[in-house]
Amino acid sequence: MVHKDHYKAVNDDEEAPWVKEPTIKIVNGDRNALDPVIVKRDENIERGNWSNKLEFILSCFSYAVGLGTIWRFPYLCYRNGGGAFLIPYAIMYVFAGLPLFFFELSFGQYASEGPVSIWKVAPFFQGIGYAMFVISFLIGIYYNMVVAWSFRYLFASMTSVLPWTSCDNVWNTKNCRDFDIKNCTLLEGLVDSSRTCHIKSEVSDSFWKELELMNTNSRLPADEYFHKRVLDISTGIHDLGPINWELALCLLLAWVCVFFVLLRGIKSFGKAVYFTALFPYLILTILLIRSATLPGFVDGIMFYLTPQWSKLTEASVWGDAAMQIFFSLSPCWGGLITLASYNRFHNNCFRDAVIVATGNVFTAFFAGFVIFGIIGFMAFELGTTVDKVATQGAGLAFAVYPEAVARLPIAPLWSILFFVMLLTLGLGTQFTVLETVVTTIVDLWPHKLRGKNHKWVLLASATVMFLLGLIMCTNGGMYVLQLIDTYAATFSALIIGMAEVCVIAWHYGIDRFLDDIKLMLGHDAPPRWYWRFVWKFFTPVIIVAILVFTLVDFRTLTYGDYTYPLEATIVGFLIALSSVAMVPIVAVYKVFQLDGPILERIRVLLQPSSDWGPALQIHRIEAGAPTHTDSQVPLALPNHRFEELELELATVLERDSESDNWINMKSWRCKGFNDKYLGEYMSKTRNIKIDETMVLLTMGVLLTIYFPCHQLGKVLNHKIVSSPG
């Protein structure tokens, strides 16, 4: 048994200066004289690894199980047929969600690179990585604003009486209602501003219409607290107003938390996810038990789960299922590649993908019981039906749910628990988003930025994103947040996902990629034919279908009663194009960086670069890839020394636990890698005909430009036709 992480070779008792710690001795050519040494250290010393497998799994859970899992899936489930929605959701999970999740984990783990530098596999398409970087950067700016809101509510909950329980505050308007209208509602009556109940048969028609208008515009105290007190919301995106310094300080606190958690990279990150990944389940369980004791709980659950089988014939239901499974697992943002890049090479990423992706689905389903249990109670309290209360997004988290909590005994306690849960969910995703940004930058200039300079990259990234996020602390900040949320990672992420899968499956070669996975796992990911089919055909088709559905279903953005102007829609499309445009821009830039005929330059860029493959020499030997000179251990040997030293090493079994860290080594003859071998390796790379490549590239660029421009044209045409004169 030989520890695989750190060793050096000693030939005839003479130490070699180009290696570090002795764990293997080769005395007088006797390669069987091996001294076993067990050391608990990283496999990749320079880049680092997760301390254990559980940290990686929890980090993926913390990333994937975000705020959308809590406030979007339950609403979609009830809107699309209740329990019947689980059928299309499960089908989309099998053919789109899990394949994409496993794909990105395998991709990142094999190369141990960030989302940009990993495109050594096909430098011509490195723009895909830059697009992921832009998406993560934009998401990181606004996502931490939601965390700031959670901090704001958490602090406000630390009181004996929640501030949104009444309408007697300076921020409340005449439309606020904090009284019990249940009895009046049951009599089919309406309440006026003096809290008097009126029955339709007892008043005039004109007075009844006034009552209907007043009740239509009425707002619950929690709703007014969010919009009038916390946000102090303006009339529209054109009216940003001054910065709300309470929110700005909460945003600063959110960024400080993220900064200190990531200060030591994945080592400190890996410890934080024990809390951010597991604590929400504890809170959800406590809230479920409490809500089960409330009146109206059963009505809410029945409304959530009762199947409407006729809904399965509607295309929109299948479209919602595909969109939700795609966005809930957060592929194509670069986060999954980043997290997996810190795995040990032989980690079982297939097992991890199944655990996390399946756990995400069950978490969303479980959260629905909590959300609709509380919404059922809220409907009971208001004397109305569940569908009149059910909502999604920020309205659910910061208006409906706080209103329900305020009606419970010991309301501040339940409010604190709920907003601590939102904090952990939001921070868990934000950690990975910022780590993706930082890892991308560091991996581009590893010799300058890795190590001690990592913290300065982290500080600079957090500072820039905080300053850009201050615009969302203004009175009109909510409109900016909704704009970025809608356009930053919708059809742009879909286009990037389609390009990513197609390049690997069709250009790099699906069988070659599956062989890479087999090398890491020690066996094929079962069943091999299934992955070949879904990655080559089904997953790209599903992504295109989601993209088409998203664009066809596109509507001018609104928030409440406010409709965004044309200028804001144009800005939104520019935000979306800012990431997608990276693909052709980087491709053109790389072509003009080389010399020679254009077609020859493209042909060179379409091939994997010589340093594509596993990061460490020992794994490159296993993969049959050209070795390269680096300072990594083990087998950090200059290439010419391989001709002098033949090692009988091969990794056939890995065991990694907290108690030990070792591998079994079987006889495998490793010969020197020289320029001749490099040429042979490059000749084995998959050659796609230049004509086919140009056709694929042209089609991709045209689709990238056509879809958003076509939709923007429809919006412009609608504005022109509907405008007076």
Side-chain angles (χ1 to χ4, degrees):
M1 299 296 181
V2 182
H3 183 258
K4 70 170 183 177
D5 291 347
H6 302 287
Y7 60 71
K8 72 176 183 178
V10 180
N11 196 5
D12 292 331
D13 293 329
E14 179 184 355
E15 287 201 3
W18 29 264
V19 287
K20 296 185 179 180
E21 297 182 10
T23 66
I24 298 181
K25 279 191 177 182
I26 301 178
V27 182
N28 296 324
D30 184 5
R31 301 180 182 87
N32 293 320
L34 302 178
D35 293 337
V37 176
I38 296 178
V39 184
K40 180 70 176 177
R41 292 182 63 181
D42 288 341
E43 178 181 76
N44 190 322
I45 298 175
E46 292 186 354
R47 202 168 186 276
N49 297 109
W50 298 105
S51 297
N52 56 64
K53 297 177 183 179
L54 183 59
E55 287 186 4
F56 169 67
I57 294 175
L58 291 179
S59 68
C60 289
F61 262 114
S62 192
Y63 176 57
V65 182
L67 295 170
T69 303
I70 303 298
W71 70 29
R72 180 166 169 78
F73 174 82
Y75 176 81
L76 287 178
C77 194
Y78 112 81
R79 192 183 75 178
N80 291 294
F85 181 70
L86 298 177
I87 295 176
Y89 192 72
I91 292 174
M92 293 303 169
Y93 161 76
V94 172
F95 290 103
L98 179 60
L100 271 173
F101 201 86
F102 178 40
F103 176 90
E104 291 208 340
L105 291 190
S106 303
F107 193 30
Q109 180 174 306
Y110 182 75
S112 299
E113 297 276 7
V116 171
S117 56
I118 200 172
W119 285 97
K120 297 168 184 175
V121 65
F124 188 79
F125 298 103
Q126 195 174 51
I128 295 174
Y130 282 100
M132 291 180 176
F133 170 79
V134 172
I135 289 175
S136 288
F137 183 80
L138 293 173
I139 290 173
I141 293 172
Y142 82 81
Y143 206 88
N144 231 17
M145 192 67 237
V146 182
V147 176
W149 293 344
S150 301
F151 270 122
R152 178 69 180 76
Y153 268 81
L154 178 63
F155 298 146
S157 300
M158 296 177 180
T159 180
S160 58
V161 179
L162 295 176
W164 56 85
T165 56
S166 71
C167 289
D168 301 327
N169 305 289
V170 295
W171 59 81
N172 291 126
T173 67
K174 63 179 182 179
N175 294 324
C176 181
R177 58 177 187 179
D178 63 339
F179 39 87
D180 187 2
I181 63 169
K182 178 181 177 182
N183 292 332
C184 187
T185 304
L186 293 176
L187 295 173
E188 298 182 352
L190 294 174
V191 181
D192 63 16
S193 57
S194 64
R195 307 185 181 185
T196 302
C197 181
H198 299 276
I199 308 301
K200 185 175 183 179
S201 59
E202 299 175 355
V203 298
S204 64
D205 290 342
S206 59
F207 184 69
W208 184 257
K209 289 181 180 178
E210 291 179 9
L211 288 175
E212 287 182 325
L213 179 62
M214 185 184 71
N215 279 267
T216 300
N217 296 327
S218 65
R219 296 288 183 268
L220 293 171
D223 185 282
E224 289 210 338
Y225 179 78
F226 179 52
H227 289 100
K228 301 297 183 181
R229 175 66 179 91
V230 175
L231 299 181
D232 191 16
I233 196 165
S234 65
T235 56
I237 197 170
H238 61 281
D239 180 20
L240 291 178
I243 291 177
N244 182 330
W245 290 106
E246 288 182 350
L247 288 182
L249 290 175
C250 289
L251 181 62
L252 177 62
L253 176 60
W255 279 110
V256 168
C257 290
V258 175
F259 172 79
F260 279 106
V261 166
L262 298 179
L263 187 57
R264 293 185 59 243
I266 60 167
K267 296 305 180 184
S268 53
F269 180 18
K271 302 302 179 289
V273 295
Y274 283 97
F275 178 73
T276 60
L278 298 177
F279 188 73
Y281 291 96
L282 175 62
I283 301 300
L284 283 173
T285 303
I286 293 173
L287 292 176
L288 177 62
I289 295 172
R290 182 65 184 95
S291 62
T293 65
L294 300 174
F297 173 80
V298 175
D299 293 336
I301 299 304
M302 293 304 294
F303 197 85
Y304 172 49
L305 292 180
T306 301
Q308 302 174 41
W309 302 111
S310 60
K311 288 278 189 178
L312 294 179
T313 60
E314 299 179 13
S316 61
V317 174
W318 293 84
D320 280 345
M323 288 177 62
Q324 176 60 18
I325 195 66
F326 180 88
F327 292 113
S328 68
L329 293 173
S330 305
C332 312
W333 296 3
L336 296 177
I337 292 176
T338 300
L339 294 176
S341 70
Y342 292 105
N343 275 334
R344 295 173 184 271
F345 184 76
H346 290 290
N347 176 66
N348 191 337
C349 54
F350 172 70
R351 174 205 58 206
D352 297 344
V354 172
I355 291 174
V356 176
T358 306
N360 178 270
V361 171
F362 280 105
T363 300
F365 184 62
F366 175 63
F369 286 89
V370 180
I371 299 301
F372 271 87
I374 293 292
I375 287 178
F377 165 70
M378 185 69 179
F380 175 84
E381 285 285 298
L382 297 176
T384 186
T385 56
V386 176
D387 62 308
K388 299 291 180 58
V389 183
T391 185
Q392 63 173 328
L396 171 65
F398 299 103
V400 175
Y401 211 95
E403 181 69 31
V405 167
R407 296 168 181 266
L408 295 174
I410 324 176
L413 171 63
W414 303 110
S415 181
I416 289 172
L417 289 176
F418 177 71
F419 287 109
V420 168
M421 181 187 71
L422 287 189
L423 274 176
T424 55
L425 289 171
L427 287 172
T429 301
Q430 185 67 16
F431 292 155
T432 301
V433 170
L434 182 58
E435 182 62 32
T436 300
V437 172
V438 173
T439 296
T440 300
I441 297 172
V442 170
D443 281 352
L444 287 174
W445 299 281
H447 300 296
K448 294 181 179 180
L449 301 179
R450 192 166 286 162
K452 293 183 179 180
N453 290 329
H454 172 274
K455 62 179 179 291
W456 299 114
V457 178
L458 175 64
L459 179 62
S461 300
T463 301
V464 169
M465 295 169 80
F466 164 70
L467 293 175
L468 292 175
L470 286 176
I471 191 175
M472 282 171 263
C473 297
T474 61
N475 299 147
M478 183 61 164
Y479 302 109
V480 178
L481 186 146
Q482 292 289 334
L483 185 71
I484 299 177
D485 180 41
T486 301
Y487 289 98
T490 49
F491 62 78
S492 55
L494 291 166
I495 293 173
I496 296 306
M498 180 181 64
E500 177 188 31
V501 174
C502 288
V503 168
I504 298 300
W506 289 95
H507 175 64
Y508 180 70
I510 189 62
D511 287 311
R512 188 175 175 189
F513 185 59
L514 287 169
D515 287 341
D516 294 340
I517 295 174
K518 182 179 180 180
L519 178 68
M520 291 188 295
L521 302 183
H523 55 80
D524 281 317
R528 185 182 176 106
W529 61 266
Y530 167 77
W531 301 110
R532 183 188 293 113
F533 168 73
V534 294
W535 283 334
K536 286 193 73 172
F537 304 105
F538 205 87
T539 299
V541 170
I542 288 292
I543 294 176
V544 171
I546 300 173
L547 177 62
V548 172
F549 175 81
T550 303
L551 293 170
V552 170
D553 194 51
F554 174 82
R555 295 178 179 87
T556 302
L557 184 61
T558 60
Y559 181 73
D561 298 328
Y562 174 75
T563 301
Y564 281 69
L566 174 63
E567 295 80 4
T569 303
I570 295 174
V571 171
F573 277 104
L574 292 176
I575 290 173
L577 287 172
S578 66
S579 57
V580 177
M582 291 291 105
V583 180
I585 289 174
V586 173
V588 171
Y589 173 75
K590 284 194 164 291
V591 168
F592 281 96
Q593 270 191 319
L594 300 180
D595 297 324
I598 295 292
L599 294 183
E600 187 59 33
R601 299 183 209 175
I602 295 175
R603 189 184 299 278
V604 170
L605 291 171
L606 287 172
Q607 304 298 332
S609 62
S610 60
D611 54 350
W612 158 250
L616 303 186
Q617 300 283 31
I618 189 172
H619 301 138
R620 297 181 71 83
I621 294 172
E622 293 180 62
T627 57
H628 55 76
T629 303
D630 60 18
S631 57
Q632 301 288 345
V633 183
L635 272 185
L637 312 179
N639 293 335
H640 67 275
R641 293 299 299 266
F642 278 97
E643 295 180 358
E644 303 174 10
L645 178 66
E646 295 181 351
L647 303 176
E648 296 187 4
L649 297 172
T651 305
V652 296
L653 175 66
E654 176 185 17
R655 190 176 84 192
D656 185 0
S657 64
E658 294 192 6
S659 59
D660 56 4
N661 210 342
W662 53 271
I663 58 173
N664 234 344
M665 313 298 278
K666 280 191 177 180
S667 179
W668 184 68
R669 195 167 187 80
C670 167
K671 296 186 177 180
F673 290 91
N674 49 32
D675 293 337
K676 178 181 179 181
Y677 178 80
L678 176 60
E680 293 173 355
Y681 169 78
M682 294 301 293
S683 69
K684 292 192 295 183
T685 57
R686 179 176 175 83
N687 253 326
I688 185 170
K689 292 182 179 179
I690 195 68
D691 294 338
E692 296 175 0
T693 303
M694 293 303 296
V695 170
L696 289 173
L697 176 64
T698 304
M699 289 177 62
V701 172
L702 290 176
L703 286 173
T704 298
I705 298 173
Y706 170 75
F707 277 121
C709 290
H710 172 69
Q711 202 61 44
L712 181 58
K714 289 173 62 178
V715 174
L716 291 170
N717 183 59
H718 174 72
K719 292 286 184 181
I720 294 172
V721 172
S722 60
S723 61

